[in-house]
Amino acid sequence: MARESQRVKLKGWEEENQGRGRTLFITSLALLIVLIVVLSWAAFQLYAGKPSPRNASSPHSTPVQNTHIPTSTITNATPLPQVTPPRRDSTMAYDPLHHLVLLFGGTIEAADVQQTNETWAWNGHGWKQLHPASSPPALQGTMVYDAASQRVILFLYQVQSAGKVANEMWSWDGTTWQQLYPATMPAVVGASMAYDEAQHEIVLFGGGVPSGRTVTMVNTTWTWDGMNWRQQYPATSPAPRAGAAMTYDAVRQQIILYGGTGDGSGVSSVASETWTWDGTNWQQHNGAGVPFQDQNVHLVYDSVTRQMLLFGAISSDATWAWNGTRWVCVTAHGAPTAPFQGASVYNDAAQSVIVYAAQGDSKMGTTPVPQTWIWSGTAWKLLP
């Protein structure tokens, strides 16, 4: 009987242990399922918070409605209606990683004319001055977004004594500026610069080489691969010039260049020429029409209407579009006139062209007034 009783007790213990084991297994399995669900949700939220690689790398990609805007340096700042005080000869670029338009530098007319190295940003609602830890010097230049390195690249013109050019390059990472030190640097001022999305490189053309009080125009073509500048030697090139309007045509996958000044005295024979760059050679488009014969007009690609827009003449407020063969007038009136005193760029986040200009000239008896213009795709609007 004692042995039988012991067997019963052992059997009971075994059944009890098996029950506990099943309970522990079911509990562990449930916890594992909950852990998998939590990790999956966290991974989804992390991925959703990142900008699309396509939209981040190219400001001319097909516009996508943004459901999540990353925190930028001006998200919680109170924007101003205009960049103040007004300045001319600024340069602008759109930063798709941080969804804002960046404006750098310019010439301020105060008690005397002075250059500024201020950095401003437009977040779609207003302007806000940024205060980066490091800033470029107060020099004129040109600026584009380099999709290959996902940085805004600033090329500054600096003329030293005896006409020696010592240009500088800087990059913007969304928070501050960092100087770049390429082994080779184009020694020109007033050059035109654009990013070639098809070739994944920045193209810089023309400009002038100062010598004493004169400037000799050049027609050299340079490309930036993210590390260094390399001079190109195309079979055909535009005539020497500075201040030409140049940007990338995403529809035809080529850079287009319009106008410029070839003799340093204003309007010249090159002011109405149209050229395209295919990554290897330049081609002139004769018979394309002559929208303007003014220097320093503006050329911007509109991603929504997929049009190359030309505007900003001194003598005309019309807006023209490039169809690949000819220039076609899309609006006869309404465009900002003579915005060579400011800068323009396509704002991909807002799907519109933005122009900053300082209208007026104190030398002509008119006080400069800051202006911000927006192109909606069909008409221009001057913001209050």
Side-chain angles (χ1 to χ4, degrees):
M1 290 294 293
R3 290 182 178 178
E4 185 66 20
S5 176
Q6 187 175 7
R7 290 195 191 97
V8 172
K9 289 181 179 180
L10 289 174
K11 184 176 181 180
W13 289 342
E14 290 175 355
E15 292 175 351
E16 182 179 356
N17 288 335
Q18 288 176 357
R20 290 178 178 175
R22 286 193 296 270
T23 302
L24 181 61
F25 173 76
I26 293 173
T27 302
S28 300
L29 181 61
L31 289 174
L32 179 61
I33 293 174
V34 171
L35 180 61
I36 291 174
V37 171
V38 171
L39 291 176
S40 299
W41 179 85
F44 171 78
Q45 293 298 317
L46 181 62
Y47 176 78
K50 293 182 178 180
S52 168
R54 178 180 178 183
N55 291 335
S57 64
S58 172
H60 292 150
S61 301
T62 302
V64 177
Q65 185 66 34
N66 294 312
T67 58
H68 176 80
I69 303 296
T71 301
S72 73
T73 52
I74 61 172
T75 299
N76 299 319
T78 301
L80 300 176
Q82 298 291 348
V83 176
T84 54
R87 74 277 322 269
R88 59 189 68 200
D89 301 320
S90 301
T91 182
M92 287 201 304
Y94 176 70
D95 181 353
L97 286 180
H98 303 91
H99 302 274
L100 55 81
V101 171
L102 204 66
L103 181 146
F104 175 81
T107 304
I108 297 175
E109 292 188 14
D112 55 359
V113 176
Q114 61 182 20
Q115 291 289 120
T116 177
N117 66 340
E118 293 177 353
T119 300
W120 289 71
W122 171 267
N123 67 352
H125 305 287
W127 291 101
K128 177 65 181 179
Q129 184 178 355
L130 307 184
H131 301 279
S134 178
S135 292
L139 299 170
Q140 291 186 15
T142 180
M143 185 165 64
V144 298
Y145 179 72
D146 181 4
S149 64
Q150 296 189 337
R151 298 177 299 176
V152 173
I153 299 296
L154 175 64
F155 186 86
L156 293 175
Y157 312 130
Q158 182 172 218
V159 180
Q160 296 181 335
S161 59
K164 182 180 179 181
V165 177
N167 292 336
E168 293 188 10
M169 282 188 67
W170 292 73
S171 67
W172 172 261
D173 63 4
T175 303
T176 191
W177 291 99
Q178 179 182 5
Q179 189 171 2
L180 306 178
Y181 298 93
T184 304
M185 183 83 76
V188 293
V189 298
S192 303
M193 193 166 74
Y195 181 74
D196 189 338
E197 293 182 15
Q199 307 298 324
H200 309 291
E201 61 190 10
I202 293 175
V203 178
L204 185 142
F205 174 79
V209 178
S211 177
R213 295 186 177 181
T214 62
V215 177
T216 302
M217 301 300 173
V218 297
N219 65 342
T220 51
T221 301
W222 295 79
T223 55
W224 168 259
D225 61 7
M227 295 295 293
N228 200 21
W229 287 101
R230 184 162 59 100
Q231 186 174 351
Q232 305 295 321
Y233 298 92
T236 305
S237 293
R241 70 194 65 195
M246 190 170 85
T247 195
Y248 182 74
D249 184 349
V251 172
R252 297 160 190 89
Q253 297 185 334
Q254 58 187 5
I255 285 176
I256 183 169
L257 178 149
Y258 184 85
T261 177
D263 56 11
S265 62
V267 177
S268 67
S269 60
V270 304
S272 59
E273 291 181 355
T274 302
W275 291 77
T276 53
W277 168 259
D278 61 7
T280 303
N281 199 29
W282 290 97
Q283 178 185 358
Q284 184 174 6
H285 294 262
N286 294 313
V290 183
F292 312 119
Q293 286 188 319
D294 297 333
Q295 60 176 329
N296 295 318
V297 293
H298 286 228
L299 189 60
V300 180
Y301 178 78
D302 186 335
S303 295
V304 173
T305 61
R306 297 175 65 82
Q307 290 181 316
M308 185 71 66
L309 300 176
L310 182 68
F311 58 91
I314 297 175
S315 58
S316 172
D317 63 343
T319 302
W320 296 71
W322 175 250
N323 64 9
T325 304
R326 293 187 55 83
W327 291 102
V328 179
C329 184
V330 291
T331 61
H333 301 287
T337 57
F340 61 89
Q341 300 171 346
S344 61
V345 74
Y346 186 78
N347 182 357
D348 198 57
Q351 299 181 4
S352 61
V353 176
I354 178 171
V355 178
Y356 171 77
Q359 297 287 5
D361 190 343
S362 59
K363 295 179 181 179
M364 303 298 293
T366 57
T367 302
V369 177
Q371 293 184 346
T372 300
W373 292 76
I374 300 294
W375 167 260
S376 64
T378 56
W380 289 97
K381 178 181 179 181
L382 176 61
L383 301 185

